């Protein structure tokens, strides 16, 4: 996502993998794991961006890219686990 003022999928994947490792989840159990990352992007074209990722087999797949005209509530920002298919 070159030129964007928000974190891109590679950054979010790195954060998700770090979180899983810190929780002690073995890599062979990452299949089906899903995460969503929300961030406010003031003074840009969009007020906020939400990106969802899901582990399918050995690959992470972007399942959601939502650019919003309204900022997110603080509770919706950052990285959090979600249910597969719900990102």
């Amino acid at each position: 996502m070159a030129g964007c003022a928000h974190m891109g999928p590679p950054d979010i994947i790195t954060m998700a993998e770090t979180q899983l490792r810190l929780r002690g989840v073995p890599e062979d159990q990452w299949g089906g794991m899903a995460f969503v990352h929300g961030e406010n992007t003031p003074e840009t074209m969009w007020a906020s961006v939400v990106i969802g990722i899901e582990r399918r087999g050995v690959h992470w797949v972007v399942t959601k890219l939502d650019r919003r005209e309204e900022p997110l509530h603080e509770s919706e920002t950052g990285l959090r686990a979600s249910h597969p298919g719900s990102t």
Side-chain angles (χ1 to χ4, degrees), residues 1-54:
M1 304 208 131
C4 292
H6 59 83
M7 296 182 80
D11 304 308
I12 296 164
I13 290 166
T14 298
M15 290 188 328
E17 289 179 348
T18 298
Q19 188 177 101
L20 290 168
R21 285 186 182 100
L22 289 173
R23 289 181 10 210
V25 179
E27 192 168 339
D28 64 353
Q29 293 179 17
W30 292 1
M33 297 282 187
F35 291 86
V36 65
H37 180 269
E39 125 180 51
N40 289 320
T41 54
E43 300 180 31
T44 67
M45 182 176 178
W46 305 103
S48 60
V49 176
V50 177
I51 297 175
I53 60 170
E54 184 177 324

